[in-house]
PDB file of all heavy atoms in Angstrom:
ATOM      1  N   ASP O 244      -9.448   0.045  -2.515  1.00 96.00           N
ATOM      2  CA  ASP O 244     -10.656   0.970  -2.380  1.00 96.00           C
ATOM      3  C   ASP O 244     -11.841   0.287  -2.863  1.00 96.00           C
ATOM      4  O   ASP O 244     -11.985  -0.119  -4.000  1.00 96.00           O
ATOM      5  CB  ASP O 244     -10.459   2.217  -3.159  1.00 96.00           C
ATOM      6  CG  ASP O 244     -11.515   3.337  -2.947  1.00 96.00           C
ATOM      7  OD1 ASP O 244     -12.607   2.987  -2.419  1.00 96.00           O
ATOM      8  OD2 ASP O 244     -11.325   4.501  -3.361  1.00 96.00           O
ATOM      9  N   HIS O 245     -12.859   0.016  -1.984  1.00 95.00           N
ATOM     10  CA  HIS O 245     -14.189  -0.476  -2.337  1.00 95.00           C
ATOM     11  C   HIS O 245     -15.132   0.275  -1.453  1.00 95.00           C
ATOM     12  O   HIS O 245     -16.100  -0.186  -0.927  1.00 95.00           O
ATOM     13  CB  HIS O 245     -14.233  -1.976  -1.995  1.00 95.00           C
ATOM     14  CG  HIS O 245     -15.545  -2.550  -2.466  1.00 95.00           C
ATOM     15  ND1 HIS O 245     -16.050  -3.831  -2.139  1.00 95.00           N
ATOM     16  CD2 HIS O 245     -16.536  -1.979  -3.478  1.00 95.00           C
ATOM     17  CE1 HIS O 245     -17.229  -4.061  -2.811  1.00 95.00           C
ATOM     18  NE2 HIS O 245     -17.443  -3.101  -3.567  1.00 95.00           N
ATOM     19  N   GLY O 246     -14.911   1.594  -1.576  1.00 88.00           N
ATOM     20  CA  GLY O 246     -15.815   2.466  -0.763  1.00 88.00           C
ATOM     21  C   GLY O 246     -17.101   2.862  -1.488  1.00 88.00           C
ATOM     22  O   GLY O 246     -18.004   3.483  -0.882  1.00 88.00           O
ATOM     23  N   ARG O 247     -17.204   2.586  -2.650  1.00 89.00           N
ATOM     24  CA  ARG O 247     -18.349   2.812  -3.544  1.00 89.00           C
ATOM     25  C   ARG O 247     -18.876   1.568  -4.284  1.00 89.00           C
ATOM     26  O   ARG O 247     -17.838   0.787  -4.701  1.00 89.00           O
ATOM     27  CB  ARG O 247     -18.225   4.045  -4.552  1.00 89.00           C
ATOM     28  CG  ARG O 247     -17.624   5.252  -3.970  1.00 89.00           C
ATOM     29  CD  ARG O 247     -17.553   6.374  -4.945  1.00 89.00           C
ATOM     30  NE  ARG O 247     -16.695   5.978  -6.174  1.00 89.00           N
ATOM     31  CZ  ARG O 247     -15.493   5.967  -6.319  1.00 89.00           C
ATOM     32  NH1 ARG O 247     -14.659   6.309  -5.374  1.00 89.00           N
ATOM     33  NH2 ARG O 247     -14.874   5.661  -7.595  1.00 89.00           N
ATOM     34  N   LYS O 248     -20.152   1.319  -4.391  1.00 86.00           N
ATOM     35  CA  LYS O 248     -20.520   0.149  -5.090  1.00 86.00           C
ATOM     36  C   LYS O 248     -20.085   0.092  -6.515  1.00 86.00           C
ATOM     37  O   LYS O 248     -19.718  -0.975  -7.043  1.00 86.00           O
ATOM     38  CB  LYS O 248     -22.029   0.076  -5.099  1.00 86.00           C
ATOM     39  CG  LYS O 248     -22.625  -1.067  -5.657  1.00 86.00           C
ATOM     40  CD  LYS O 248     -24.172  -1.189  -5.516  1.00 86.00           C
ATOM     41  CE  LYS O 248     -24.725  -2.487  -6.179  1.00 86.00           C
ATOM     42  NZ  LYS O 248     -26.284  -2.586  -6.139  1.00 86.00           N
ATOM     43  N   GLU O 249     -19.926   1.172  -7.165  1.00 90.00           N
ATOM     44  CA  GLU O 249     -19.481   1.231  -8.574  1.00 90.00           C
ATOM     45  C   GLU O 249     -18.053   1.242  -8.758  1.00 90.00           C
ATOM     46  O   GLU O 249     -17.536   1.085  -9.940  1.00 90.00           O
ATOM     47  CB  GLU O 249     -20.160   2.541  -9.326  1.00 90.00           C
ATOM     48  CG  GLU O 249     -19.477   3.881  -8.767  1.00 90.00           C
ATOM     49  CD  GLU O 249     -20.213   4.389  -7.544  1.00 90.00           C
ATOM     50  OE1 GLU O 249     -20.994   3.578  -6.910  1.00 90.00           O
ATOM     51  OE2 GLU O 249     -19.942   5.527  -7.228  1.00 90.00           O
ATOM     52  N   TYR O 250     -17.253   1.224  -7.700  1.00 95.00           N
ATOM     53  CA  TYR O 250     -15.798   1.103  -7.871  1.00 95.00           C
ATOM     54  C   TYR O 250     -15.274   0.111  -6.859  1.00 95.00           C
ATOM     55  O   TYR O 250     -15.312   0.199  -5.660  1.00 95.00           O
ATOM     56  CB  TYR O 250     -15.113   2.428  -7.656  1.00 95.00           C
ATOM     57  CG  TYR O 250     -13.578   2.417  -7.934  1.00 95.00           C
ATOM     58  CD1 TYR O 250     -13.205   2.397  -9.275  1.00 95.00           C
ATOM     59  CD2 TYR O 250     -12.731   2.480  -6.783  1.00 95.00           C
ATOM     60  CE1 TYR O 250     -11.777   2.341  -9.541  1.00 95.00           C
ATOM     61  CE2 TYR O 250     -11.369   2.338  -7.152  1.00 95.00           C
ATOM     62  CZ  TYR O 250     -10.924   2.290  -8.433  1.00 95.00           C
ATOM     63  OH  TYR O 250      -9.629   2.249  -8.703  1.00 95.00           O
ATOM     64  N   ASP O 251     -14.603  -0.868  -7.380  1.00 96.00           N
ATOM     65  CA  ASP O 251     -14.216  -2.010  -6.621  1.00 96.00           C
ATOM     66  C   ASP O 251     -12.864  -2.619  -6.939  1.00 96.00           C
ATOM     67  O   ASP O 251     -12.817  -3.427  -7.978  1.00 96.00           O
ATOM     68  CB  ASP O 251     -15.300  -3.125  -6.720  1.00 96.00           C
ATOM     69  CG  ASP O 251     -15.094  -4.391  -5.841  1.00 96.00           C
ATOM     70  OD1 ASP O 251     -14.026  -4.355  -5.074  1.00 96.00           O
ATOM     71  OD2 ASP O 251     -15.943  -5.206  -5.646  1.00 96.00           O
ATOM     72  N   GLU O 252     -11.845  -2.110  -6.253  1.00 98.00           N
ATOM     73  CA  GLU O 252     -10.482  -2.752  -6.616  1.00 98.00           C
ATOM     74  C   GLU O 252     -10.284  -4.114  -6.150  1.00 98.00           C
ATOM     75  O   GLU O 252      -9.662  -4.895  -6.856  1.00 98.00           O
ATOM     76  CB  GLU O 252      -9.410  -1.750  -5.986  1.00 98.00           C
ATOM     77  CG  GLU O 252      -9.340  -0.449  -6.523  1.00 98.00           C
ATOM     78  CD  GLU O 252      -8.335   0.523  -5.852  1.00 98.00           C
ATOM     79  OE1 GLU O 252      -7.741   0.043  -4.901  1.00 98.00           O
ATOM     80  OE2 GLU O 252      -8.271   1.649  -6.192  1.00 98.00           O
ATOM     81  N   VAL O 253     -10.813  -4.411  -4.945  1.00 98.00           N
ATOM     82  CA  VAL O 253     -10.373  -5.764  -4.305  1.00 98.00           C
ATOM     83  C   VAL O 253     -11.110  -6.917  -5.158  1.00 98.00           C
ATOM     84  O   VAL O 253     -10.528  -7.988  -5.207  1.00 98.00           O
ATOM     85  CB  VAL O 253     -10.808  -5.720  -2.884  1.00 98.00           C
ATOM     86  CG1 VAL O 253      -9.877  -4.821  -2.119  1.00 98.00           C
ATOM     87  CG2 VAL O 253     -12.179  -5.366  -2.439  1.00 98.00           C
TER      88      VAL O 253
END
Side-chain angles (χ1 to χ4, degrees):
D244 186 349
H245 188 194
R247 311 184 306 277
K248 185 177 181 179
E249 67 273 13
Y250 186 74
D251 185 353
E252 294 176 357
V253 292

